[in-house]
Amino acid sequence: QKVALAVLDHLEQLALVDFRDAEGIERLQKAIQFADHLHEVNTDGVEPMDSVLEDRCLYLREDDVTEGNCTKDLLKNAREKVEEYFVAPPGNIPLPKLEERETVLQGS
Amino acid sequence: AAARGCCGVWRRAWQRRARGLASAPRGRRDVACNARGGAVPAGKSGLASWVPVVGLEIHAQISSNSKLFSGSQVQFAAPPNSLVSFFDASLPGTLPVLNRRCVEAAVMTGLALNCSINKKSLFDRKHYFYADLPAGYQITQQRVPIAVNGSLSYSLCTDNKISQMVTKTVRIKQIQLEQDSGKSLHDDTRSQTLVDLNRAGVGLMEVVMEPDMCCGEEAAAAVRELQLILQTLGSSQAVMAEGQLRVDANISVHHPEEPYGVRTEVKNINSIRFLAKAIDYEIQRQIEELKNGGMILNETRAFDSKLGCTIPMRDKEGKQDYRFMPEPNLPPLILYDEKSLPANMNHQQVVNIDWIRERLPDLPSVKRAKLVEQYGILPEHSFTLLNEDGLTEFFENVVKKTQMKPKKVIGWILNNLLSYLKQHSLTVKESPVSSFLLADLLNLLEKKEISSTVAKQVLAELWKGEGKTPLEIVKEKKLELIQDQKELEEICQAVIDGQENEVIMMVLG
């Protein structure tokens, strides 16, 4: 079963991935098919797991101030800065709609 | 103006309900706020009745030294990006480490709101892109939050003349722990946003209230009570002006007996007063829209306090898909009580719900009941005392130092002291008249050395804050009541002598 075009478009918008070409889309399809093998296992009456570490103890930290004060180091990574602020565009720049995008999905 | 008229209409509707019911029924709302204040069936007189439905999502910043998952400091005003750790900036290789104090704050709040505390709760990631969310996701508790199924009782004054208080209840759906995001400062002139991550990662308690409210006044009262509870517990300072308490309202309207209408979300509300205004405006807007045959969009709107209206928010394109997934770096949060306390565990790693419950302070409702019982004041007086920061303490100090009965003292506190403070926008702590001075003044009155009218005059003098005591002012202006019998007789005789005609008329009847 193929992944719907609408879903692929939705994924590109949400996760900002670029499936790039037919091969990319095929790879996604194969990954889903591979994961579908999980359905072959009978999980009736079995509690789902989040991770293999979920029975470990969650460590609780004391409420002390131990970090921070490293403005210079943090700003070193910024391409643009204004007086110790990070600079970003005025708002989210949404991915153009499917019709206006250069994407292989158009052809599908 | 439309919103204000709307407010008055809602108040009348409650009065009709209040006489029959002492408090709102728990569970599903089946008693509706009627827009026209009566059960006018639709179509009968051309008037349709509307049921507004209001639910609230409240984010309270946890009062702690450090952040929810990192050791950087929590502080309101600080140089930009100075209170940011590598984890807060989402640099690769960093991991979240849960702050114990934040867990305790959430448990306290859950207990105070009559919630069931989940002994096992989980953390999740909520994904969306925004410049002030460096990780691209927020760690929250979507599946199994720390507390569920609570309630909050609050009171409303129905009529200023009759001065009746009505108790209502709103159900608390859940309380969850989550991270705050950084702050975006929009620079429209240069078409850019400046990002400060000082707030990124600060612990929040999101309190979700069921849609049990029907107007701005109810929502405002509920939020005010929650604010007082949080401040009493110390789990949050809940100062709205500093962003420690943020409220989003979900609003819809429908006809009685019909399903709920489409709801809008209203954000950007900066005070309790604006909360009431925003909600009442939005209710009215939705009713007008539907009456004119329009439709309500499921959208997010911002409240414009200058214009007093709600406007659609830009930058909210379509429905968000948050792609919730379990937070893989955090195992479940396990809480204990006396029964389940593990034998050999390090105390520092154990949060004991029963231990916290035993140490909860008196909640506002309990404090009010104690004040009413101890001093014989009215319930609405106790509300005003708790509503003003420091006023209860002031009142109790005056009562301690004067022979005047608390029932009489409260009148001076609420009618004279408080109104002066309000007129001059002063807090109780800034009062030029201290509790000592007021007590001195009331003692003079109680001992009948001055009259009530004079006492008010002296109080007016005391407000000037010139450092004089009440006694000094009385002596200076010769305001003492005349105690000497002979002197009083002479004065009366003089009055009678001067008004001979009137006296004869009176004697003749």
Side-chain angles (χ1 to χ4, degrees), chain B residues 399-431:
Chain B
V399 166
K400 267 187 232 160
K401 293 183 175 52
T402 178
Q403 295 93 35
M404 185 183 276
K405 282 204 164 63
K407 267 191 217 180
K408 277 180 83 181
V409 173
I410 194 74
W412 284 90
I413 298 283
L414 299 181
N415 301 333
N416 303 79
L417 180 88
L418 192 59
S419 56
Y420 270 125
L421 290 174
K422 290 290 176 204
Q423 261 169 39
H424 300 272
S425 298
L426 294 170
T427 63
V428 173
K429 297 202 162 65
E430 294 164 344
S431 172

PDB file of all heavy atoms in Angstrom, chain B residues 399-431:
ATOM      1  N   VAL B 399      -6.727  44.845  65.389  1.00  0.00           N
ATOM      2  CA  VAL B 399      -7.604  44.187  66.359  1.00  0.00           C
ATOM      3  C   VAL B 399      -6.860  43.884  67.650  1.00  0.00           C
ATOM      4  O   VAL B 399      -7.394  44.049  68.751  1.00  0.00           O
ATOM      5  CB  VAL B 399      -8.184  42.887  65.754  1.00  0.00           C
ATOM      6  CG1 VAL B 399      -8.808  42.012  66.834  1.00  0.00           C
ATOM      7  CG2 VAL B 399      -9.222  43.223  64.689  1.00  0.00           C
ATOM      8  N   LYS B 400      -5.602  43.486  67.506  1.00  0.00           N
ATOM      9  CA  LYS B 400      -4.804  43.153  68.697  1.00  0.00           C
ATOM     10  C   LYS B 400      -4.611  44.364  69.586  1.00  0.00           C
ATOM     11  O   LYS B 400      -4.548  44.250  70.804  1.00  0.00           O
ATOM     12  CB  LYS B 400      -3.409  42.652  68.255  1.00  0.00           C
ATOM     13  CG  LYS B 400      -3.313  41.156  68.113  1.00  0.00           C
ATOM     14  CD  LYS B 400      -1.870  40.726  67.853  1.00  0.00           C
ATOM     15  CE  LYS B 400      -1.825  39.832  66.630  1.00  0.00           C
ATOM     16  NZ  LYS B 400      -0.550  39.711  66.006  1.00  0.00           N
ATOM     17  N   LYS B 401      -4.473  45.549  68.967  1.00  0.00           N
ATOM     18  CA  LYS B 401      -4.089  46.731  69.730  1.00  0.00           C
ATOM     19  C   LYS B 401      -5.265  47.623  70.114  1.00  0.00           C
ATOM     20  O   LYS B 401      -5.069  48.695  70.663  1.00  0.00           O
ATOM     21  CB  LYS B 401      -3.079  47.561  68.924  1.00  0.00           C
ATOM     22  CG  LYS B 401      -1.764  46.836  68.753  1.00  0.00           C
ATOM     23  CD  LYS B 401      -0.756  47.694  68.024  1.00  0.00           C
ATOM     24  CE  LYS B 401       0.579  47.007  67.982  1.00  0.00           C
ATOM     25  NZ  LYS B 401       0.506  45.621  67.450  1.00  0.00           N
ATOM     26  N   THR B 402      -6.485  47.203  69.818  1.00  0.00           N
ATOM     27  CA  THR B 402      -7.611  48.066  70.161  1.00  0.00           C
ATOM     28  C   THR B 402      -8.680  47.280  70.902  1.00  0.00           C
ATOM     29  O   THR B 402      -8.779  46.064  70.777  1.00  0.00           O
ATOM     30  CB  THR B 402      -8.221  48.723  68.903  1.00  0.00           C
ATOM     31  OG1 THR B 402      -9.339  49.513  69.305  1.00  0.00           O
ATOM     32  CG2 THR B 402      -8.696  47.690  67.911  1.00  0.00           C
ATOM     33  N   GLN B 403      -9.461  48.045  71.708  1.00  0.00           N
ATOM     34  CA  GLN B 403     -10.555  47.402  72.416  1.00  0.00           C
ATOM     35  C   GLN B 403     -11.797  47.294  71.537  1.00  0.00           C
ATOM     36  O   GLN B 403     -12.752  46.612  71.883  1.00  0.00           O
ATOM     37  CB  GLN B 403     -10.928  48.201  73.685  1.00  0.00           C
ATOM     38  CG  GLN B 403      -9.839  48.249  74.735  1.00  0.00           C
ATOM     39  CD  GLN B 403      -8.969  49.495  74.567  1.00  0.00           C
ATOM     40  OE1 GLN B 403      -9.463  50.551  74.190  1.00  0.00           O
ATOM     41  NE2 GLN B 403      -7.688  49.347  74.853  1.00  0.00           N
ATOM     42  N   MET B 404     -11.770  48.027  70.415  1.00  0.00           N
ATOM     43  CA  MET B 404     -12.934  48.017  69.542  1.00  0.00           C
ATOM     44  C   MET B 404     -13.162  46.608  69.002  1.00  0.00           C
ATOM     45  O   MET B 404     -12.225  45.905  68.655  1.00  0.00           O
ATOM     46  CB  MET B 404     -12.717  48.989  68.368  1.00  0.00           C
ATOM     47  CG  MET B 404     -13.940  49.133  67.479  1.00  0.00           C
ATOM     48  SD  MET B 404     -13.654  50.205  66.060  1.00  0.00           S
ATOM     49  CE  MET B 404     -13.950  51.789  66.792  1.00  0.00           C
ATOM     50  N   LYS B 405     -14.437  46.233  68.906  1.00  0.00           N
ATOM     51  CA  LYS B 405     -14.761  44.882  68.419  1.00  0.00           C
ATOM     52  C   LYS B 405     -14.357  44.727  66.960  1.00  0.00           C
ATOM     53  O   LYS B 405     -14.522  45.643  66.154  1.00  0.00           O
ATOM     54  CB  LYS B 405     -16.270  44.654  68.547  1.00  0.00           C
ATOM     55  CG  LYS B 405     -16.740  44.337  69.943  1.00  0.00           C
ATOM     56  CD  LYS B 405     -18.060  43.558  69.911  1.00  0.00           C
ATOM     57  CE  LYS B 405     -18.355  42.888  71.236  1.00  0.00           C
ATOM     58  NZ  LYS B 405     -18.545  43.846  72.333  1.00  0.00           N
ATOM     59  N   PRO B 406     -13.836  43.534  66.618  1.00  0.00           N
ATOM     60  CA  PRO B 406     -13.414  43.285  65.229  1.00  0.00           C
ATOM     61  C   PRO B 406     -14.501  43.609  64.211  1.00  0.00           C
ATOM     62  O   PRO B 406     -14.211  44.106  63.128  1.00  0.00           O
ATOM     63  CB  PRO B 406     -13.095  41.791  65.220  1.00  0.00           C
ATOM     64  CG  PRO B 406     -12.747  41.466  66.621  1.00  0.00           C
ATOM     65  CD  PRO B 406     -13.564  42.363  67.488  1.00  0.00           C
ATOM     66  N   LYS B 407     -15.762  43.363  64.595  1.00  0.00           N
ATOM     67  CA  LYS B 407     -16.875  43.627  63.673  1.00  0.00           C
ATOM     68  C   LYS B 407     -16.955  45.103  63.307  1.00  0.00           C
ATOM     69  O   LYS B 407     -17.421  45.448  62.221  1.00  0.00           O
ATOM     70  CB  LYS B 407     -18.209  43.238  64.324  1.00  0.00           C
ATOM     71  CG  LYS B 407     -18.648  41.835  64.013  1.00  0.00           C
ATOM     72  CD  LYS B 407     -20.086  41.604  64.450  1.00  0.00           C
ATOM     73  CE  LYS B 407     -20.215  40.200  64.978  1.00  0.00           C
ATOM     74  NZ  LYS B 407     -21.535  39.831  65.425  1.00  0.00           N
ATOM     75  N   LYS B 408     -16.527  45.963  64.260  1.00  0.00           N
ATOM     76  CA  LYS B 408     -16.524  47.394  63.968  1.00  0.00           C
ATOM     77  C   LYS B 408     -15.225  47.792  63.278  1.00  0.00           C
ATOM     78  O   LYS B 408     -15.211  48.637  62.390  1.00  0.00           O
ATOM     79  CB  LYS B 408     -16.687  48.211  65.264  1.00  0.00           C
ATOM     80  CG  LYS B 408     -18.132  48.351  65.713  1.00  0.00           C
ATOM     81  CD  LYS B 408     -18.251  49.158  66.996  1.00  0.00           C
ATOM     82  CE  LYS B 408     -18.231  50.658  66.724  1.00  0.00           C
ATOM     83  NZ  LYS B 408     -18.330  51.454  67.960  1.00  0.00           N
ATOM     84  N   VAL B 409     -14.140  47.158  63.678  1.00  0.00           N
ATOM     85  CA  VAL B 409     -12.837  47.482  63.082  1.00  0.00           C
ATOM     86  C   VAL B 409     -12.868  47.225  61.583  1.00  0.00           C
ATOM     87  O   VAL B 409     -12.339  48.014  60.787  1.00  0.00           O
ATOM     88  CB  VAL B 409     -11.712  46.634  63.728  1.00  0.00           C
ATOM     89  CG1 VAL B 409     -10.395  46.850  63.007  1.00  0.00           C
ATOM     90  CG2 VAL B 409     -11.574  46.965  65.210  1.00  0.00           C
ATOM     91  N   ILE B 410     -13.515  46.109  61.197  1.00  0.00           N
ATOM     92  CA  ILE B 410     -13.497  45.728  59.782  1.00  0.00           C
ATOM     93  C   ILE B 410     -14.086  46.830  58.907  1.00  0.00           C
ATOM     94  O   ILE B 410     -13.631  47.073  57.790  1.00  0.00           O
ATOM     95  CB  ILE B 410     -14.213  44.365  59.559  1.00  0.00           C
ATOM     96  CG1 ILE B 410     -13.904  43.816  58.169  1.00  0.00           C
ATOM     97  CG2 ILE B 410     -15.714  44.487  59.733  1.00  0.00           C
ATOM     98  CD1 ILE B 410     -12.513  43.272  58.040  1.00  0.00           C
ATOM     99  N   GLY B 411     -15.091  47.531  59.445  1.00  0.00           N
ATOM    100  CA  GLY B 411     -15.699  48.635  58.702  1.00  0.00           C
ATOM    101  C   GLY B 411     -14.668  49.707  58.396  1.00  0.00           C
ATOM    102  O   GLY B 411     -14.588  50.219  57.281  1.00  0.00           O
ATOM    103  N   TRP B 412     -13.857  50.051  59.393  1.00  0.00           N
ATOM    104  CA  TRP B 412     -12.823  51.077  59.195  1.00  0.00           C
ATOM    105  C   TRP B 412     -11.761  50.605  58.213  1.00  0.00           C
ATOM    106  O   TRP B 412     -11.254  51.372  57.413  1.00  0.00           O
ATOM    107  CB  TRP B 412     -12.183  51.437  60.540  1.00  0.00           C
ATOM    108  CG  TRP B 412     -13.084  52.300  61.353  1.00  0.00           C
ATOM    109  CD1 TRP B 412     -14.027  51.892  62.254  1.00  0.00           C
ATOM    110  CD2 TRP B 412     -13.169  53.722  61.307  1.00  0.00           C
ATOM    111  NE1 TRP B 412     -14.696  52.967  62.782  1.00  0.00           N
ATOM    112  CE2 TRP B 412     -14.191  54.102  62.211  1.00  0.00           C
ATOM    113  CE3 TRP B 412     -12.497  54.708  60.588  1.00  0.00           C
ATOM    114  CZ2 TRP B 412     -14.544  55.423  62.430  1.00  0.00           C
ATOM    115  CZ3 TRP B 412     -12.842  56.045  60.798  1.00  0.00           C
ATOM    116  CH2 TRP B 412     -13.863  56.388  61.713  1.00  0.00           C
ATOM    117  N   ILE B 413     -11.437  49.318  58.288  1.00  0.00           N
ATOM    118  CA  ILE B 413     -10.411  48.779  57.373  1.00  0.00           C
ATOM    119  C   ILE B 413     -10.909  48.815  55.937  1.00  0.00           C
ATOM    120  O   ILE B 413     -10.225  49.263  55.032  1.00  0.00           O
ATOM    121  CB  ILE B 413     -10.062  47.321  57.763  1.00  0.00           C
ATOM    122  CG1 ILE B 413      -9.471  47.249  59.169  1.00  0.00           C
ATOM    123  CG2 ILE B 413      -9.139  46.707  56.736  1.00  0.00           C
ATOM    124  CD1 ILE B 413      -8.037  47.685  59.263  1.00  0.00           C
ATOM    125  N   LEU B 414     -12.136  48.323  55.724  1.00  0.00           N
ATOM    126  CA  LEU B 414     -12.623  48.182  54.356  1.00  0.00           C
ATOM    127  C   LEU B 414     -13.166  49.489  53.777  1.00  0.00           C
ATOM    128  O   LEU B 414     -12.910  49.812  52.623  1.00  0.00           O
ATOM    129  CB  LEU B 414     -13.696  47.087  54.292  1.00  0.00           C
ATOM    130  CG  LEU B 414     -13.224  45.692  54.706  1.00  0.00           C
ATOM    131  CD1 LEU B 414     -14.348  44.689  54.572  1.00  0.00           C
ATOM    132  CD2 LEU B 414     -12.028  45.259  53.876  1.00  0.00           C
ATOM    133  N   ASN B 415     -13.928  50.231  54.580  1.00  0.00           N
ATOM    134  CA  ASN B 415     -14.557  51.426  54.035  1.00  0.00           C
ATOM    135  C   ASN B 415     -13.628  52.629  54.019  1.00  0.00           C
ATOM    136  O   ASN B 415     -13.693  53.450  53.107  1.00  0.00           O
ATOM    137  CB  ASN B 415     -15.814  51.785  54.834  1.00  0.00           C
ATOM    138  CG  ASN B 415     -16.815  50.637  54.817  1.00  0.00           C
ATOM    139  OD1 ASN B 415     -16.831  49.851  53.879  1.00  0.00           O
ATOM    140  ND2 ASN B 415     -17.607  50.543  55.863  1.00  0.00           N
ATOM    141  N   ASN B 416     -12.793  52.774  55.051  1.00  0.00           N
ATOM    142  CA  ASN B 416     -11.962  53.969  55.120  1.00  0.00           C
ATOM    143  C   ASN B 416     -10.556  53.721  54.617  1.00  0.00           C
ATOM    144  O   ASN B 416     -10.103  54.344  53.657  1.00  0.00           O
ATOM    145  CB  ASN B 416     -11.940  54.501  56.554  1.00  0.00           C
ATOM    146  CG  ASN B 416     -13.339  54.796  57.054  1.00  0.00           C
ATOM    147  OD1 ASN B 416     -14.067  53.879  57.452  1.00  0.00           O
ATOM    148  ND2 ASN B 416     -13.743  56.043  57.001  1.00  0.00           N
ATOM    149  N   LEU B 417      -9.861  52.778  55.268  1.00  0.00           N
ATOM    150  CA  LEU B 417      -8.467  52.535  54.885  1.00  0.00           C
ATOM    151  C   LEU B 417      -8.344  52.082  53.441  1.00  0.00           C
ATOM    152  O   LEU B 417      -7.605  52.659  52.636  1.00  0.00           O
ATOM    153  CB  LEU B 417      -7.843  51.490  55.817  1.00  0.00           C
ATOM    154  CG  LEU B 417      -6.388  51.186  55.488  1.00  0.00           C
ATOM    155  CD1 LEU B 417      -5.470  52.144  56.207  1.00  0.00           C
ATOM    156  CD2 LEU B 417      -6.026  49.755  55.870  1.00  0.00           C
ATOM    157  N   LEU B 418      -9.084  51.042  53.094  1.00  0.00           N
ATOM    158  CA  LEU B 418      -8.916  50.445  51.766  1.00  0.00           C
ATOM    159  C   LEU B 418      -9.309  51.415  50.661  1.00  0.00           C
ATOM    160  O   LEU B 418      -8.639  51.499  49.633  1.00  0.00           O
ATOM    161  CB  LEU B 418      -9.733  49.149  51.652  1.00  0.00           C
ATOM    162  CG  LEU B 418      -9.421  48.289  50.422  1.00  0.00           C
ATOM    163  CD1 LEU B 418      -7.951  47.898  50.427  1.00  0.00           C
ATOM    164  CD2 LEU B 418     -10.297  47.048  50.395  1.00  0.00           C
ATOM    165  N   SER B 419     -10.379  52.185  50.885  1.00  0.00           N
ATOM    166  CA  SER B 419     -10.795  53.105  49.825  1.00  0.00           C
ATOM    167  C   SER B 419      -9.760  54.207  49.627  1.00  0.00           C
ATOM    168  O   SER B 419      -9.488  54.612  48.502  1.00  0.00           O
ATOM    169  CB  SER B 419     -12.176  53.689  50.111  1.00  0.00           C
ATOM    170  OG  SER B 419     -12.170  54.318  51.367  1.00  0.00           O
ATOM    171  N   TYR B 420      -9.154  54.688  50.721  1.00  0.00           N
ATOM    172  CA  TYR B 420      -8.071  55.666  50.587  1.00  0.00           C
ATOM    173  C   TYR B 420      -6.936  55.089  49.753  1.00  0.00           C
ATOM    174  O   TYR B 420      -6.419  55.700  48.844  1.00  0.00           O
ATOM    175  CB  TYR B 420      -7.493  56.033  51.961  1.00  0.00           C
ATOM    176  CG  TYR B 420      -8.165  57.195  52.638  1.00  0.00           C
ATOM    177  CD1 TYR B 420      -8.696  57.069  53.915  1.00  0.00           C
ATOM    178  CD2 TYR B 420      -8.243  58.443  52.029  1.00  0.00           C
ATOM    179  CE1 TYR B 420      -9.308  58.124  54.553  1.00  0.00           C
ATOM    180  CE2 TYR B 420      -8.850  59.505  52.666  1.00  0.00           C
ATOM    181  CZ  TYR B 420      -9.392  59.344  53.924  1.00  0.00           C
ATOM    182  OH  TYR B 420      -9.988  60.385  54.564  1.00  0.00           O
ATOM    183  N   LEU B 421      -6.537  53.850  50.099  1.00  0.00           N
ATOM    184  CA  LEU B 421      -5.418  53.208  49.391  1.00  0.00           C
ATOM    185  C   LEU B 421      -5.736  53.080  47.903  1.00  0.00           C
ATOM    186  O   LEU B 421      -4.895  53.365  47.052  1.00  0.00           O
ATOM    187  CB  LEU B 421      -5.135  51.829  49.994  1.00  0.00           C
ATOM    188  CG  LEU B 421      -4.530  51.798  51.394  1.00  0.00           C
ATOM    189  CD1 LEU B 421      -4.439  50.358  51.907  1.00  0.00           C
ATOM    190  CD2 LEU B 421      -3.157  52.430  51.402  1.00  0.00           C
ATOM    191  N   LYS B 422      -6.981  52.664  47.603  1.00  0.00           N
ATOM    192  CA  LYS B 422      -7.366  52.471  46.209  1.00  0.00           C
ATOM    193  C   LYS B 422      -7.330  53.796  45.449  1.00  0.00           C
ATOM    194  O   LYS B 422      -6.856  53.874  44.321  1.00  0.00           O
ATOM    195  CB  LYS B 422      -8.772  51.862  46.115  1.00  0.00           C
ATOM    196  CG  LYS B 422      -8.850  50.420  46.568  1.00  0.00           C
ATOM    197  CD  LYS B 422      -8.145  49.502  45.599  1.00  0.00           C
ATOM    198  CE  LYS B 422      -8.125  48.076  46.090  1.00  0.00           C
ATOM    199  NZ  LYS B 422      -7.023  47.311  45.518  1.00  0.00           N
ATOM    200  N   GLN B 423      -7.872  54.838  46.126  1.00  0.00           N
ATOM    201  CA  GLN B 423      -7.899  56.152  45.476  1.00  0.00           C
ATOM    202  C   GLN B 423      -6.514  56.613  45.071  1.00  0.00           C
ATOM    203  O   GLN B 423      -6.337  57.253  44.049  1.00  0.00           O
ATOM    204  CB  GLN B 423      -8.472  57.193  46.455  1.00  0.00           C
ATOM    205  CG  GLN B 423      -9.933  57.511  46.231  1.00  0.00           C
ATOM    206  CD  GLN B 423     -10.485  58.327  47.387  1.00  0.00           C
ATOM    207  OE1 GLN B 423      -9.784  59.201  47.908  1.00  0.00           O
ATOM    208  NE2 GLN B 423     -11.697  58.031  47.788  1.00  0.00           N
ATOM    209  N   HIS B 424      -5.529  56.302  45.932  1.00  0.00           N
ATOM    210  CA  HIS B 424      -4.168  56.776  45.660  1.00  0.00           C
ATOM    211  C   HIS B 424      -3.273  55.681  45.104  1.00  0.00           C
ATOM    212  O   HIS B 424      -2.061  55.825  45.072  1.00  0.00           O
ATOM    213  CB  HIS B 424      -3.561  57.361  46.945  1.00  0.00           C
ATOM    214  CG  HIS B 424      -4.339  58.512  47.500  1.00  0.00           C
ATOM    215  ND1 HIS B 424      -4.127  59.812  47.108  1.00  0.00           N
ATOM    216  CD2 HIS B 424      -5.371  58.544  48.381  1.00  0.00           C
ATOM    217  CE1 HIS B 424      -4.983  60.602  47.746  1.00  0.00           C
ATOM    218  NE2 HIS B 424      -5.754  59.851  48.520  1.00  0.00           N
ATOM    219  N   SER B 425      -3.890  54.593  44.643  1.00  0.00           N
ATOM    220  CA  SER B 425      -3.146  53.467  44.049  1.00  0.00           C
ATOM    221  C   SER B 425      -1.990  53.019  44.918  1.00  0.00           C
ATOM    222  O   SER B 425      -0.880  52.831  44.430  1.00  0.00           O
ATOM    223  CB  SER B 425      -2.603  53.861  42.671  1.00  0.00           C
ATOM    224  OG  SER B 425      -3.654  54.153  41.812  1.00  0.00           O
ATOM    225  N   LEU B 426      -2.245  52.828  46.198  1.00  0.00           N
ATOM    226  CA  LEU B 426      -1.201  52.366  47.105  1.00  0.00           C
ATOM    227  C   LEU B 426      -1.479  50.954  47.565  1.00  0.00           C
ATOM    228  O   LEU B 426      -2.634  50.535  47.651  1.00  0.00           O
ATOM    229  CB  LEU B 426      -1.143  53.269  48.350  1.00  0.00           C
ATOM    230  CG  LEU B 426      -0.700  54.720  48.144  1.00  0.00           C
ATOM    231  CD1 LEU B 426      -0.936  55.505  49.426  1.00  0.00           C
ATOM    232  CD2 LEU B 426       0.777  54.779  47.769  1.00  0.00           C
ATOM    233  N   THR B 427      -0.420  50.221  47.844  1.00  0.00           N
ATOM    234  CA  THR B 427      -0.612  48.901  48.434  1.00  0.00           C
ATOM    235  C   THR B 427      -0.680  49.071  49.944  1.00  0.00           C
ATOM    236  O   THR B 427      -0.330  50.127  50.480  1.00  0.00           O
ATOM    237  CB  THR B 427       0.567  47.970  48.105  1.00  0.00           C
ATOM    238  OG1 THR B 427       1.759  48.521  48.702  1.00  0.00           O
ATOM    239  CG2 THR B 427       0.754  47.828  46.614  1.00  0.00           C
ATOM    240  N   VAL B 428      -1.122  48.019  50.633  1.00  0.00           N
ATOM    241  CA  VAL B 428      -1.223  48.073  52.087  1.00  0.00           C
ATOM    242  C   VAL B 428       0.147  48.384  52.694  1.00  0.00           C
ATOM    243  O   VAL B 428       0.260  49.167  53.639  1.00  0.00           O
ATOM    244  CB  VAL B 428      -1.780  46.744  52.641  1.00  0.00           C
ATOM    245  CG1 VAL B 428      -1.734  46.730  54.159  1.00  0.00           C
ATOM    246  CG2 VAL B 428      -3.201  46.531  52.155  1.00  0.00           C
ATOM    247  N   LYS B 429       1.184  47.786  52.104  1.00  0.00           N
ATOM    248  CA  LYS B 429       2.525  47.997  52.648  1.00  0.00           C
ATOM    249  C   LYS B 429       2.968  49.452  52.522  1.00  0.00           C
ATOM    250  O   LYS B 429       3.819  49.910  53.279  1.00  0.00           O
ATOM    251  CB  LYS B 429       3.531  47.085  51.932  1.00  0.00           C
ATOM    252  CG  LYS B 429       3.232  45.600  52.166  1.00  0.00           C
ATOM    253  CD  LYS B 429       4.420  44.688  51.956  1.00  0.00           C
ATOM    254  CE  LYS B 429       4.213  43.334  52.613  1.00  0.00           C
ATOM    255  NZ  LYS B 429       3.125  42.530  52.044  1.00  0.00           N
ATOM    256  N   GLU B 430       2.397  50.156  51.528  1.00  0.00           N
ATOM    257  CA  GLU B 430       2.792  51.554  51.304  1.00  0.00           C
ATOM    258  C   GLU B 430       1.932  52.521  52.094  1.00  0.00           C
ATOM    259  O   GLU B 430       2.072  53.734  51.958  1.00  0.00           O
ATOM    260  CB  GLU B 430       2.675  51.901  49.818  1.00  0.00           C
ATOM    261  CG  GLU B 430       3.660  51.142  48.931  1.00  0.00           C
ATOM    262  CD  GLU B 430       3.283  51.204  47.459  1.00  0.00           C
ATOM    263  OE1 GLU B 430       2.115  51.564  47.148  1.00  0.00           O
ATOM    264  OE2 GLU B 430       4.126  50.868  46.618  1.00  0.00           O
ATOM    265  N   SER B 431       1.032  52.020  52.915  1.00  0.00           N
ATOM    266  CA  SER B 431       0.090  52.880  53.618  1.00  0.00           C
ATOM    267  C   SER B 431       0.800  53.838  54.573  1.00  0.00           C
ATOM    268  O   SER B 431       1.569  53.395  55.433  1.00  0.00           O
ATOM    269  CB  SER B 431      -0.900  52.022  54.407  1.00  0.00           C
ATOM    270  OG  SER B 431      -1.688  52.848  55.238  1.00  0.00           O
TER     271      SER B 431
END
